[in-house]
Amino acid sequence: MRLLLIAIFAAWATPLAAQQSPDPNIVPTAPPRDQPPSPTIFAEPVALFIAACDANGDAVVTPAELTPCVARSYPPAGGAAPESIGYIQFADWAERWLGDRNALPSPFETDSDADNRITLAELQAQFAKTFTRFDRDKNGAVKRSELLTLDSGRGLGGGGAGQRPGGDQRRRR
């Protein structure tokens, strides 16, 4: 009886052990069946903000819609708009409007005169630059498809977020 139990346990444990320690040289060709495939389409937090500035609901954002939208989000705590905000208040703004205190644009790239303060004009100028970056067809408006980022380094056999097969984790732009 003891021998039979040992044989059953050994038969059961061997495939389990093989699953827990796969050969590190073999790259999987498909995600596990119990998990969805890795996403290949992303939207930056700033892209989500820009998409939310679509005032007329046509799924296209123009500079005429973006500028007042940015102004409505400034300052982060509401109330009367100050002349400028510090980096901590900017982080508060980013957390509220972009979803994270560390989301881009950073206060360092937004603060164009490097005075450690961010004015509404500086924030709007940063959004204008970002808008231009997203306007891939250069028609002066940004449609939803332009706000998406495709990450071809993911998918079958790819690693986790920001990872390429082979462990290379350079950021894609």
Side-chain angles (χ1 to χ4, degrees), residues 70 110 112 119-132:
V70 172
T110 305
S112 60
T119 64
L120 175 57
E122 286 174 318
L123 185 61
Q124 288 175 323
Q126 180 62 45
F127 268 90
K129 286 193 305 191
T130 304
F131 184 91
T132 300

Side-chain angles (χ1 to χ4, degrees), residues 27-101:
V27 177
T29 57
R33 291 183 192 190
D34 62 339
Q35 296 178 4
S38 298
T40 56
I41 301 175
F42 300 90
E44 298 175 39
V46 71
L48 297 176
F49 180 93
I50 291 171
C53 292
D54 178 18
N56 62 3
D58 65 353
V60 176
V61 179
T62 63
E65 292 172 309
L66 181 64
T67 300
C69 181
V70 172
R72 281 190 304 273
S73 76
Y74 186 92
E83 285 188 29
S84 64
I85 58 174
Y87 286 11
I88 292 174
Q89 287 176 301
F90 183 83
D92 294 341
W93 174 88
E95 183 174 34
R96 179 173 182 189
W97 295 101
L98 303 179
D100 190 89
R101 297 177 74 76

Side-chain angles (χ1 to χ4, degrees), residues 1 6 14 41-42 45 51 57 60 77 84 89 99 105-106 117 131 140 154 168-169:
M1 180 71 168
I6 292 172
T14 301
I41 301 175
F42 300 90
V60 176
S84 64
Q89 287 176 301
S106 78
R117 305 289 299 171
F131 184 91
R154 291 179 151 226
D168 187 358
Q169 296 183 10

Side-chain angles (χ1 to χ4, degrees), residues 151-163:
D151 187 356
S152 61
R154 291 179 151 226
L156 298 180
Q163 232 178 3

